[in-house]
Every structure is written in C-alpha cells, then in structure tokens.
Amino acid sequence: MVNKNTIIEYMRQDSYHPLSYTDLMEVFGIQAEEEGKFSRVLGTLEKQGDIIKTRKKKYGLPEQMNLAKGVINLSQRGYGFIILDEPDTPDIFVYGRNLNGAMHHDKVLVRVYQQSNGNGESRRPEGEVVRVINRANKELVGTFERGRHSLQVIPDDSRQIYPITVSRTRKLKVNPGDKVLVSITSWPDKKGIAEGKILEVLGKKGQPGLDVQVVIKKHGLASEFPDSVVEEAVQASAQPVSESELRKRLDLRKVSMVTIDGEDAKDLDDAVSVEKIAGGYRLGVHIADVSHYVREDSKLDKEACKRGTSVYLINRVLPMLPPQLSNDICSLNAKQDRLALSCIMDIDQEGQVFNYEIRKSIINVKERMTYSDVNKILAGEDDGLKDRYRDYIDSFFLMKELADIIRAERMDRGMLDFDFPESKVIVDDNGVPIEIKRREQGDGEKLIEDFMIKANETVARHMYDQELPILYRVHENPDEDALVKLNHVLGVFGHQIKGRKIQPRLFQKILDDIKGRPEEQMISLMILRSMKHARYVPQALGHFGLASEYYCHFTSPIRRYPDLIVHRVLSLMLGHSISERKKASLTAKMTEYGEHSTLQEIKAEEAERELVSIKKAQYMEPFIGEEFTGKISSVLSFGFFVELPNTVEGLVHISSIVDDYYVFNDRNYTLAGNHTGRKFVIGDPVKVLLAKVDVNEAKIDFELIH
C-alpha cells in the first residue's frame, strides 16, 4: 500500500510536476478497493501541510510553490517570526498585516518573499501566512473586561495579540477584572476578530494561590493524570522483573556508585561511578531504564509524549510521568536494585573517550548524595561528612579531577560558558515567597553536568554511527541578521565577531574578555539572544553552544520525552530487535516528536520563568517605600534596570529622574543629562526607592535617590 513517505519521495523527484488526484492514482496503480485509503493518506498530507493542493486541484510539495512550514512566534508589537521546519534555514519575518489570523506558536504555512535592499544584496526573508496548519492554543487565560460594545477577554500573554469576544454566561458568575479560562470557538480572521466561551472563573486578581493556577492554565500545562494512566503506572511499577530479563543485563550491583541531586529531588534518574584505569579514568553514567516500564503507544507513553517534559514551578512539580513511576520504581533510590541503561566510558588525560560500551544493566546505588554535601566535602568543610561518607571521599575527589579534565576539553574546543545569576525562590507552605537569593553552582553541580554532557555526546555519536533514527538536541549557528545586530552592540564596547566561519570560540573569547566587567551581564544576554533556541530534530546538526558535533539528550528519561525516545531506540538496538520496518516506522515519527517536544519545553521554560518573576514581585511588595542599593544592569532609551544583590530587577523610568533632561546614547549605552552632564552607566552602583509593584504584570518600579 502507498504510504505518506512513498508519495513525498515521488514528489521530490526533479522531474515531478504537480499532478491531479486521478493522475496520482494512475502513477501509483491504485485499484478501486484501495482508493479510500489512498484518498485518506493524501488528505492527511494536505492537512498537515506536507503537500499542497493548488487552485487547479493539482498536488505538489510546498517548496515547489515557494511555500514553507514552520511555527510562528509573535511579538507583543504585532509582528512575527516563523521558525521553519527545514533545518539550517533563516527565520521568516511576518508583518502584522500578513498574519491572517495566525496566533502565537501556531504551526503555519507561509509564502516566502526573498527581499532585496536595492543594491542587489538579499535581506532577511519576509512572508505571509497562507494557512494555519495546527492551532497551538485552544484555550487561553485572560482578564474579563466589559468593553463599550462587547464583552472581552484580554489574554494574559501579550503575544496573544487578539482579544477574545465572549458572551455573558448564566452558569458562571464573572465580574470585570476576574481571571478566566476561555475556550476559542472562532479563530481570528484576517481582521483579527476571535470569539470564545468562558469555561472557568479562576478568581480575582491577588487571590492567594491564584498565581500558580493561572500560570498552569495560561501555558496549557497538565496538572492531573487521567485515572487510566495512573492505573497503568501502578501496574507497570508492580510487575516484577523476570529472571530471563536479569540474565540479559550487565550486573553492576557491586560497582560503587552514587546519585548526586538537590535536597528536595524525588525523581533520581542518573547515578555515576568513577575509577582510575590504565590510560585515564572509567566513567559510568547509569540512567534509569524508563523505557522498560513505559511501553511504546501505551496510555503512559501517550500521556508522557503529550506533556513532553516535567515542569518545575518553584515548590510544585508537574511530572511527565505519574509519581508511582517517577518517584518510585524508575527513581534510582539508594540501596534498591534498579534497571538502568549504562554508558561506560574510558577517558584519557585529555578528556577524550577512547573506549566505551552502552549496556542494559541492573544497578544498586550505594548512597543518595546531595549537591550541598558533595560541595562541602570538596571544599574541605567537615560537618561530620568525612566520617559519614568515609568510603566515598576519595571517589568524590576523583570525580572532581575527571570533571575538570572533561570541562577543559570542552572549553578548548570553544564551548560557550555563560555565567548568568540564577534566582532561588523560597516559599512557605502557602506559596508565599519568604526569601529570594542567588542560586550558586558548586563543584557538585558542575561535575554532574560535565558527566551528563559527556554521556550525551557519546550516545549521540554511537547512534549516528549506527544510522539509527533518534532525536538529536541541536543548537544551530546564529543567522546573519542576528549577528549584524549583535555586532552593533558589541562595537559599542570595543568587541566584534569577525571571520567568515562563525565558530563558538569567537563568542567565548568575548565572554572571557568581559568577565568581571560592568557590562558582562548585558553583553552575555545579548549574545544569548542572538542565538537560536536549541531544539529536537532527527538530523545531527551539531550543538553550537557546546561546540559539539553530535549531541542528544539521554540522561533524563523520567522528565524529558526525547530522552525516553533515545532509550527506546537504544533498547531495541541492544536487544537486536530493530528491523528495517521498525526503523522506518520510528523515522516517520521523529520529526513530529521533535517539534512537539521543543514546543512543550518552551512552554515549560516560559511558565517557570513567569512564576519566578511573579514571586519576586510578591516578595518585594511589602517593601514599597523602602530604600535599596543595587547596580545598573542595563541602560535603554526609556530608563535603566537596577539589579539588587538578591537578583530582583526593577526599572527606573526616565520620566522619574527629574533633575535634568536625559538623552540615551546608543553608541555607548548611557543616559546623559543635557545640563548637569550626569551619566548613568551599566555597572554603576545606585541607591533606589521601591516605588511601585504590579504583581499581576510581575513589574517592579524603582525611583532614584539623589
């Protein structure tokens, strides 16, 4: 029977020209009894935007008609950028007038116009949305408002640029200003008019606990598991491992290994072991064998795929897998026999892997270590730890020794090493923030990161060599347009990215040069923003930020779906049960898996970041009217941001500085007074008064104390 791939491959031929339905039936020799199936396959391909039907009812590929497929990211200003499915292609800019009702994160078909700047040189490509293939948001969270002529819900996410017109409902009592969940019943048309129905009144602004609920609903995150999925998880975790399964596995239960995680972590998916060998070190990275319990196409698997990732909302986790698996049978709890996939690598003094094996294993973790305890041991602090962990002290120092070698090798090849201050929000039992502080990364955190990256690289290279279908974690080179903008900012501070071939080491040199300088944070952020977002695709396109040729995610299958996919394919390979038919079946699914997982990851990141910002605003609200000392973290045309020692940032708006008329200088990123000559420069210490806090918008306003 003709399938999707057969049709697409046929149309990719250079000699192909658009054919009608009847012509295609003839080409593929479709008999009357097969026509129904053929028609459905063709219809699915068209619906997904993989093929296009012209006005003359002929079929062809999008690229043959100057069309492309991708996900659109809207700006709150009303324009958008389309990230194309096709790897290594520049983003397509779309003006608001050409959105044609497309919403943030929708999958769209775009007509591409290659623009010229008048000198014959091409500019960034622009386009017009022709059709929305898949709507990303069927529900939105917003504020209910009574307009002059209609009732509306204004979406909380400013990138959802269309207000939703709603009707008053008898079942729900809703008042202006209420936070509501609205279902879209009529998608935006070319004029941007959308309609919807209020499903739920979440509560009034400022209501305790509303913030987390709003973030969950706003980002379309799943908070509860269906009963059928929980039931399947209970059954999977209760099933004993057969003797025949154990005999197939490498028995590593006598190997000394530990887990190292945060104090409050419950889903422990990686254990490590290190020993000295002739020629270097033997590093074992042992990962929970989640694919043994979560079978392909089971209810558990479909739910995990739908979620894509676990989401960490400060003191609450929305896990990818039910706790019966994530915190129990799949978690590498100490002193318990657990099934694992082990990547055992022999590494030389230069940090190169000179031998490795990847095996299904059975392990027994000896100790459940925390980052803070390992950090204290490596720093020489005692706290009774040396006596308690005396059997492992030498092992921790050996780990540190190897991790330093691995990191040095990555730095030598040009890995980007950003040093952004991260926030740690501490809340009470009611979710009220009681402390905001800087999250410190110690040697314990670094060595686990180094070991996981090394295992991910080794597995990715292995899978590539075996020509197996998996999801790679790719980070593509910055595009030219982003580089031009970045160089404009860098030039202000005497730096420039030069060279025909854009390499990570060119960026890392700048990061090294600005280390400890006032502009470090701003330039680091600009460099990061010039980069593309890392994503999951079936092609090994390399990872720019890690300066890695082959990279995948293998080490966190409890909390990331792409890792589970890699495990599933690895297990089939190790069990010698990956037929050509199975390989083709997996290959056909990978692009879709990758797109969905990338989108779910972005959603999770945005939700986590938004909640941290809200909690920062909540924490600062009681301090309105108080004075603080901070430093200027960035200067813009409308004012400057001040960062406090606890990582909280607030804006000093230019209109609030009343001693002079200040002008923004984009040549050196300063604000200078016309008469006094007073300047505000990145890195300057300043005293500010907390003037205003808007918890709903997560905005903090400072005023300068002269």
Side-chain angles (χ1 to χ4, degrees):
M1 178 61 199
V2 175
N3 60 29
K4 294 180 188 178
N5 291 339
T6 319
I7 294 171
I8 288 172
E9 286 307 313
Y10 179 75
M11 289 184 180
R12 279 196 181 130
Q13 295 176 108
D14 291 339
S15 58
Y16 181 80
H17 60 276
L19 295 176
S20 68
Y21 176 77
T22 312
D23 292 338
L24 286 170
M25 277 188 61
E26 198 174 309
V27 164
F28 291 110
I30 304 297
Q31 302 301 314
E33 64 272 15
E34 298 172 317
E35 187 182 348
K37 281 185 182 176
F38 179 71
S39 177
R40 281 194 292 277
V41 171
L42 213 59
T44 302
L45 284 170
E46 191 201 347
K47 189 178 174 186
Q48 292 172 344
D50 293 322
I51 64 173
I52 303 296
K53 183 158 76 168
T54 68
R55 288 176 186 171
K56 293 182 178 178
K57 298 188 177 177
K58 294 193 174 184
Y59 294 88
L61 296 175
E63 55 267 34
Q64 292 166 342
M65 301 171 193
N66 208 27
L67 298 171
K69 248 196 331 173
V71 172
I72 189 160
N73 290 328
L74 293 191
S75 157
Q76 59 191 49
R77 294 178 183 176
Y79 57 81
F81 284 95
I82 297 174
I83 299 159
L84 298 181
D85 291 356
E86 205 60 41
D88 275 338
T89 50
D91 298 344
I92 309 294
F93 178 82
V94 182
Y95 284 105
R97 63 178 178 270
N98 293 328
L99 289 173
N100 293 329
M103 298 174 74
H104 184 56
H105 278 167
D106 283 352
K107 186 75 177 278
V108 299
L109 203 60
V110 59
R111 177 166 286 110
V112 184
Y113 310 118
Q114 192 70 40
Q115 298 289 329
S116 162
N117 63 7
N119 299 324
E121 296 171 20
S122 62
R123 288 192 307 174
R124 70 177 176 205
E126 295 175 5
E128 178 181 1
V129 174
V130 172
R131 175 158 68 89
V132 175
I133 296 166
N134 187 40
R135 293 288 184 177
N137 302 280
K138 295 174 177 61
E139 297 174 355
L140 293 173
V141 169
T143 304
F144 176 72
E145 288 185 0
R146 188 181 283 117
R148 188 178 293 175
H149 303 296
S150 63
L151 302 174
Q152 290 186 326
V153 173
I154 308 301
D156 277 6
D157 188 340
S158 56
R159 294 165 305 180
Q160 297 294 358
I161 58 175
Y162 308 108
I164 313 297
T165 302
V166 293
S167 302
R168 184 165 287 287
T169 168
R170 289 180 183 175
K171 291 180 183 176
L172 298 170
K173 189 181 177 185
V174 55
N175 297 307
D178 283 354
K179 291 281 181 191
V180 298
L181 178 68
V182 62
S183 164
I184 300 170
T185 55
S186 176
W187 300 105
D189 56 17
K190 289 188 178 186
K191 294 177 182 175
I193 296 166
E195 295 175 1
K197 178 184 177 185
I198 294 174
L199 296 178
E200 192 180 341
V201 179
L202 302 175
K204 293 196 177 300
K205 284 184 181 180
Q207 194 174 306
L210 182 63
D211 50 7
V212 180
Q213 197 185 356
V214 164
V215 166
I216 289 170
K217 298 279 189 186
K218 177 178 171 180
H219 294 276
L221 304 174
S223 54
E224 303 298 329
F225 286 97
D227 291 343
S228 59
V229 172
V230 174
E231 197 178 309
E232 208 170 80
V234 170
Q235 287 172 359
S237 61
Q239 211 165 355
V241 180
S242 68
E243 282 300 318
S244 63
E245 176 64 36
L246 290 179
R247 281 196 298 273
K248 291 179 201 167
R249 290 177 177 262
L250 181 65
D251 193 340
L252 298 175
R253 285 176 284 191
K254 290 184 179 170
V255 173
S256 177
M257 64 180 71
V258 297
T259 59
I260 307 176
D261 292 274
E263 279 88 343
D264 50 359
K266 294 183 179 70
D267 50 350
L268 316 178
D269 47 17
D270 56 273
V272 291
S273 58
V274 176
E275 60 179 301
K276 261 299 205 171
I277 58 166
Y281 308 81
R282 178 160 292 156
L283 167 64
V285 173
H286 315 278
I287 308 298
D289 187 358
V290 178
S291 64
H292 179 82
Y293 298 97
V294 181
R295 301 295 181 175
E296 188 178 2
D297 288 334
S298 63
K299 288 173 184 170
L300 263 173
D301 182 43
K302 285 173 180 169
E303 182 69 17
C305 178
K306 188 172 135 191
R307 292 175 178 236
T309 180
S310 294
V311 188
Y312 297 88
L313 298 172
I314 300 177
N315 63 335
R316 182 176 176 185
V317 181
L318 306 179
M320 183 180 82
L321 296 169
Q324 290 84 351
L325 288 178
S326 59
N327 298 352
D328 189 10
I329 196 70
C330 289
S331 185
L332 304 183
N333 301 329
K335 314 287 193 280
Q336 302 280 327
D337 285 359
R338 288 289 186 260
L339 302 184
L341 280 177
S342 294
C343 179
I344 301 161
M345 298 157 279
D346 294 344
I347 300 172
D348 63 22
Q349 296 291 345
E350 277 70 53
Q352 301 288 345
V353 175
F354 62 87
N355 193 25
Y356 71 89
E357 65 173 333
I358 300 167
R359 296 281 298 274
K360 286 187 173 189
S361 61
I362 180 162
I363 64 172
N364 190 299
V365 170
K366 304 301 178 242
E367 283 289 346
R368 189 264 200 250
M369 299 298 300
T370 64
Y371 290 129
S372 58
D373 281 353
V374 171
N375 289 338
K376 284 175 187 172
I377 289 166
L378 293 174
E381 299 171 24
D382 196 338
D383 271 8
L385 296 171
K386 285 183 181 173
D387 187 48
R388 183 178 168 190
Y389 299 118
R390 59 182 175 273
D391 296 341
Y392 306 99
I393 300 292
D394 290 345
S395 181
F396 295 137
F397 281 96
L398 190 63
M399 285 181 189
K400 168 79 165 69
E401 188 180 304
L402 173 57
D404 287 346
I405 290 170
I406 290 172
R407 185 164 284 243
E409 185 270 331
R410 270 205 332 277
M411 293 302 290
D412 282 349
R413 70 189 189 208
M415 175 193 85
L416 301 185
D417 187 22
F418 290 105
D419 187 20
F420 290 115
E422 282 191 56
S423 308
K424 185 173 176 65
V425 180
I426 297 156
V427 297
D428 65 16
D429 293 341
N430 298 315
V432 176
I434 52 175
E435 189 182 0
I436 311 279
K437 59 183 183 180
R438 214 169 265 266
R439 189 190 294 275
E440 303 295 339
Q441 193 187 41
D443 288 331
E445 288 92 338
K446 285 178 184 173
L447 70 84
I448 288 297
E449 181 183 286
D450 292 330
F451 292 169
M452 297 306 120
I453 290 172
K454 185 57 86 175
N456 286 335
E457 289 177 333
T458 303
V459 169
R461 181 62 197 253
H462 178 76
M463 302 296 262
Y464 179 81
D465 289 344
Q466 297 290 319
E467 297 182 352
L468 289 170
I470 64 160
L471 286 177
Y472 293 94
R473 177 67 168 178
V474 308
H475 185 219
E476 293 148 284
N477 292 11
D479 61 38
E480 233 174 282
D481 196 40
L483 212 53
V484 169
K485 287 179 184 172
L486 177 63
N487 269 331
H488 175 71
V489 177
L490 292 177
V492 169
F493 298 97
H495 303 288
Q496 207 73 14
I497 304 257
K498 292 177 182 173
R500 286 185 180 178
K501 194 174 180 191
I502 300 303
Q503 295 177 319
R505 66 177 71 252
L506 300 173
F507 290 82
Q508 185 53 44
K509 184 182 183 310
I510 290 170
L511 292 174
D512 290 338
D513 290 346
I514 60 173
K515 203 83 174 161
R517 295 183 62 82
E519 67 269 19
E520 179 185 1
Q521 195 173 323
M522 179 190 169
I523 290 183
S524 297
L525 192 60
M526 291 288 194
I527 289 176
L528 185 65
R529 283 177 179 163
S530 75
M531 305 277 164
K532 294 192 173 183
H533 193 286
R535 58 188 183 133
Y536 297 104
V537 297
Q539 299 87 7
L541 304 175
H543 196 293
F544 187 81
L546 291 172
S548 185
E549 198 174 351
Y550 305 97
Y551 197 69
C552 73
H553 276 164
F554 156 76
T555 53
S556 294
I558 290 177
R559 61 184 181 87
R560 287 189 306 228
Y561 194 72
D563 303 52
L564 179 53
I565 291 289
V566 170
H567 275 234
R568 191 166 282 151
V569 179
L570 252 181
S571 291
L572 287 168
M573 184 207 72
L574 295 170
H576 307 291
S577 55
I578 186 157
S579 63
E580 285 305 313
R581 189 175 176 180
K582 184 64 185 170
K583 208 186 272 194
S585 164
L586 285 164
T587 301
K589 295 176 182 175
M590 284 301 157
T591 299
E592 197 175 327
Y593 281 151
E595 287 173 5
H596 180 70
S597 297
T598 301
L599 200 57
Q600 291 304 106
E601 177 193 44
I602 291 168
K603 273 188 185 181
E605 285 173 357
E606 288 179 351
E608 289 164 3
R609 203 162 43 234
E610 183 177 332
L611 190 60
V612 167
S613 298
I614 289 169
K615 292 297 181 191
K616 283 181 177 180
Q618 286 177 357
Y619 175 76
M620 293 301 290
E621 198 171 24
F623 299 106
I624 288 175
E626 294 193 23
E627 296 178 7
F628 297 89
T629 300
K631 65 172 184 179
I632 297 176
S633 54
S634 61
V635 180
L636 302 151
S637 59
F638 52 84
F640 55 84
F641 281 92
V642 174
E643 185 188 308
L644 304 185
N646 64 359
T647 74
V648 168
E649 265 195 328
L651 175 68
V652 174
H653 198 275
I654 197 167
S655 62
S656 70
I657 315 171
V658 294
D659 68 336
D660 200 347
Y661 179 75
Y662 285 86
V663 178
F664 177 61
N665 185 335
D666 67 351
R667 289 194 300 278
N668 57 13
Y669 277 75
T670 61
L671 279 172
N674 265 359
H675 306 293
T676 60
R678 185 184 188 188
K679 276 186 183 177
F680 296 107
V681 182
I682 293 166
D684 280 357
V686 286
K687 271 197 162 185
V688 291
L689 176 127
L690 180 58
K692 185 184 172 188
V693 173
D694 184 336
V695 171
N696 291 300
E697 295 293 325
K699 286 180 181 172
I700 294 167
D701 288 337
F702 290 130
E703 286 180 4
L704 199 62
I705 296 172
H706 299 284

